[in-house]
Amino acid sequence: MAEMATSDPRKSALSRLHPPLAEPDPLAQLSLPPLIPSVPGFTDPIVQNAPPLPVLQVPTPALASPPFQGSDIKPKKIGYSWTGAGDNQHAGMSSEDSHRYRCADKSCHPLDFLATYSLDDDTFGEFIWLTDVPTSGNSPHHSGSSKDGNTLVGGGLLSLLKVQDTAFYFDVSNPYRPSFKKSNRAITSAVTDEIRAKPDGGFLITYMGSAAGTSPGRLVETDNNFNIIAELPKDLAGQANIVKDNFNPHGLSIDFAKNLILTSDFIVPLSILKPSLGKISDNTLRLWNLAERTIISTITIPNGGGIQDVKFIPNNPESAALATAVHLGQVWIVYPFRQSDDGKQGRAELFYDLGPKARDTTAIYSDFSADGKFFYATLTTANHIAALDISDLSNPKRLDDPNETQPTIGPHYIKVTPDKKHIVVTDYFVQTGDIGLINTPADFKALYIDINPDGSLHFNRSIDFTGPYTNRGGAKPHSAVVFDLTDPAHPYYY
């Protein structure tokens, strides 16, 4: 259980009405310092005038971050959003603020940050706290919580372009005042993606590319102090496997009871950056032995065109999983203990075709209800969230109207809340700007969508990230972690 913050009896009613103006956290030491250190008055012009380059970017330091107005509320349900600041080069501050925060009239490199919000009904969407990381331009990506709820980790999709650390850890033992803990990077891999907590502490994290953004990537493991202890696979057979077929793991799911890991290969990261001959998408998944950290087999979805996500179906007796094939616009079912036609362990079969509007939608990410009866998937450039009743795997039923116009633009990251009553969706995927090929439309909102009793969805609430962060050039919320502290004896961290 996360340590709960207690109210200070010395605080007056006036102070609760007018929370203190908080200064940003001081910059912490990175595991490796920036190549260009921050020197006020000297590096600012470099930051302001650094041109976009092919692939690697000028490793400019982040400029100082503006203060913010925090809140003293202590909701039972908390949402944490791992968020990119603006577009890394933007206008938006007044000339006075520009001078104060060393931010130029037309250009700024603000820090990326973790934003904390209330998800309680009576204070929904109220901003609580902001926690900066020491660098900018990371393109914050996926995030996750440790099993004990004391630590969050967020990955940087494009951190490698400025030769920066790629994983950022936050202390949330006080869930209302997260603080930056540390950051690190792997030696042979980069492009941080999906995150899963280990029961005894630490994480397993997919790194989609090599340190240069090519194939192969790695499955990275940390200890309970969040130090990297392995870049997997390490055995010779595994090394041969990931060289034979592209290994660009994005999706990650773990069945601890059945000793299984599934990773899904999405895209060669470097292929989406200019100059490029075109995106190189993958068609494979890897089935792993969890205890040995070794690859059992490669499972292929023909012409899948990017297998972005895979997740084990909760409570399924065969440990079946569902995987999303982006080019096909389809969901495939993976049976890890059945044999493929060529006699290898692991079999994939078409489960559900999401229809023509789901094809080539850039990204399809997913989650389940805790009982495994309902499946939800975001179709990013289709501006749509699909819902399936999968209580009978032989007869999945579509719960949404694929032709309906939903109030979402660019939905991507999705999580079913611990109370099983809502899903959280962030309306932002990736915008590489002039240096890349992927720039998906977005409205930069966090949607809080009700789940009806039949599993269908009701859109009614959202948190807008465009208005509150104009002094950072806006904000791009990519992923979310939800804490539910309603029952102090049984808190949920997801």
Side-chain angles (χ1 to χ4, degrees):
M1 173 182 173
E3 179 184 346
M4 297 293 295
T6 56
S7 299
D8 186 343
R10 296 170 296 179
K11 288 192 177 220
S12 65
L14 181 62
S15 69
R16 295 188 182 94
L17 289 173
H18 301 283
L21 188 66
E23 292 294 335
D25 291 338
L27 298 185
Q29 176 66 37
L30 294 173
S31 60
L32 289 177
L35 296 184
I36 300 178
S38 179
V39 181
F42 175 74
T43 51
D44 294 2
I46 300 176
V47 173
Q48 297 159 12
N49 298 308
L53 302 176
V55 187
L56 287 178
Q57 302 301 294
V58 178
T60 51
L63 298 181
S65 180
F68 58 88
Q69 192 79 25
S71 171
D72 287 333
I73 63 169
K74 292 180 170 58
K76 300 298 183 183
K77 297 176 183 178
I78 311 165
Y80 303 94
S81 181
W82 177 218
T83 305
D87 57 6
N88 297 330
Q89 291 187 338
H90 63 84
M93 301 179 98
S94 67
S95 58
E96 179 180 351
D97 283 345
S98 159
H99 174 74
R100 180 180 177 188
Y101 303 125
R102 311 197 319 273
C103 193
D105 291 338
K106 301 295 183 182
S107 175
C108 183
H109 289 252
L111 302 168
D112 297 321
F113 60 94
L114 184 74
T116 305
Y117 282 89
S118 170
L119 298 180
D120 280 1
D121 288 339
D122 58 344
T123 56
F124 177 82
E126 185 168 339
F127 171 78
I128 299 173
W129 203 247
L130 185 149
T131 311
D132 286 318
V133 298
T135 52
S136 64
N138 295 290
S139 187
H141 212 54
H142 292 204
S143 54
S145 170
S146 60
K147 285 293 185 182
D148 62 8
N150 285 324
T151 303
L152 298 187
V153 58
L157 182 74
L158 300 179
S159 304
L160 82 163
L161 300 188
K162 291 176 67 177
V163 200
Q164 297 174 162
D165 285 1
T166 59
F168 302 86
Y169 297 86
F170 302 88
D171 182 346
V172 287
S173 54
N174 178 343
Y176 308 107
R177 293 293 185 267
S179 61
F180 178 70
K181 183 194 294 275
K182 63 181 286 186
S183 62
N184 59 25
R185 69 186 86 179
I187 301 299
T188 64
S189 55
V191 191
T192 314
D193 273 291
E194 194 70 301
I195 297 163
R196 291 289 176 264
K198 300 192 301 182
D200 58 347
F203 296 96
L204 286 161
I205 307 172
T206 52
Y207 278 47
M208 198 166 62
S210 69
T214 58
S215 180
R218 293 292 192 278
L219 178 60
V220 169
E221 182 172 5
T222 79
D223 61 18
N224 56 12
N225 291 315
F226 316 111
N227 298 311
I228 293 174
I229 57 174
E231 296 185 64
L232 305 165
K234 297 195 295 183
D235 62 299
L236 290 178
Q239 296 285 343
N241 174 283
I242 64 175
V243 171
K244 179 177 180 294
D245 297 301
N246 278 352
F247 181 60
N248 302 110
H250 184 286
L252 168 64
S253 194
I254 304 174
D255 187 330
F256 290 97
K258 298 290 183 66
N259 192 38
L260 295 174
I261 301 174
L262 273 170
T263 56
S264 63
D265 301 308
F266 181 39
I267 199 167
V268 178
L270 188 64
S271 72
I272 71 166
L273 299 175
K274 298 176 182 177
S276 174
L277 297 177
K279 295 185 293 182
I280 302 174
S281 300
D282 301 321
N283 306 312
T284 52
L285 304 99
R286 260 67 173 198
L287 178 64
W288 299 66
N289 180 304
L290 169 62
E292 297 180 2
R293 307 296 201 262
T294 55
I295 294 174
I296 298 170
S297 63
T298 299
I299 301 169
T300 300
I301 295 178
N303 201 33
I307 315 304
Q308 187 179 52
D309 196 25
V310 63
K311 287 183 172 71
F312 287 109
I313 303 171
N315 307 314
N316 183 268
E318 285 194 81
S319 293
L322 294 185
T324 61
V326 173
H327 168 60
L328 299 172
Q330 295 174 344
V331 181
W332 284 59
I333 190 165
V334 180
Y335 295 101
F337 293 110
R338 296 187 188 182
Q339 285 191 335
S340 63
D341 290 340
D342 57 4
K344 295 180 181 179
Q345 183 177 339
R347 183 179 186 86
E349 300 174 354
L350 176 62
F351 179 72
Y352 195 89
D353 191 322
L354 294 167
K357 292 186 177 180
R359 291 177 192 135
D360 292 312
T361 56
T362 306
I364 304 178
Y365 190 68
S366 65
D367 201 10
F368 296 96
S369 60
D371 57 11
K373 293 182 179 179
F374 303 112
F375 173 80
Y376 303 97
T378 53
L379 314 176
T380 296
T381 55
N383 300 324
H384 199 86
I385 302 166
L388 298 178
D389 180 341
I390 61 168
S391 53
D392 179 359
L393 291 180
S394 65
N395 185 30
K397 298 177 181 178
R398 185 105 185 223
L399 301 174
D400 64 296
D401 178 356
N403 296 313
E404 175 190 8
T405 299
Q406 297 177 339
T408 177
I409 300 175
H412 175 55
Y413 201 81
I414 182 170
K415 277 185 175 177
V416 178
T417 58
D419 64 7
K420 311 175 188 63
K421 296 180 179 179
H422 313 277
I423 61 172
V424 176
V425 174
T426 50
D427 279 356
Y428 171 68
F429 177 50
V430 173
Q431 293 178 351
T432 58
D434 293 337
I435 68 170
L437 305 182
I438 295 182
N439 289 285
T440 58
D443 61 11
F444 310 110
K445 293 180 180 179
L447 309 180
Y448 199 63
I449 305 168
D450 295 340
I451 299 177
N452 296 321
D454 66 353
S456 61
L457 301 177
H458 173 63
F459 293 77
N460 68 341
R461 285 183 287 182
S462 64
I463 299 172
D464 188 350
F465 279 71
T466 57
Y469 303 102
T470 54
N471 59 359
R472 293 169 178 259
K476 298 178 177 181
H478 185 95
S479 62
V481 172
V482 176
F483 279 16
D484 190 337
L485 310 178
T486 302
D487 181 356
H490 299 94
Y492 290 96
Y493 315 110
Y494 183 55

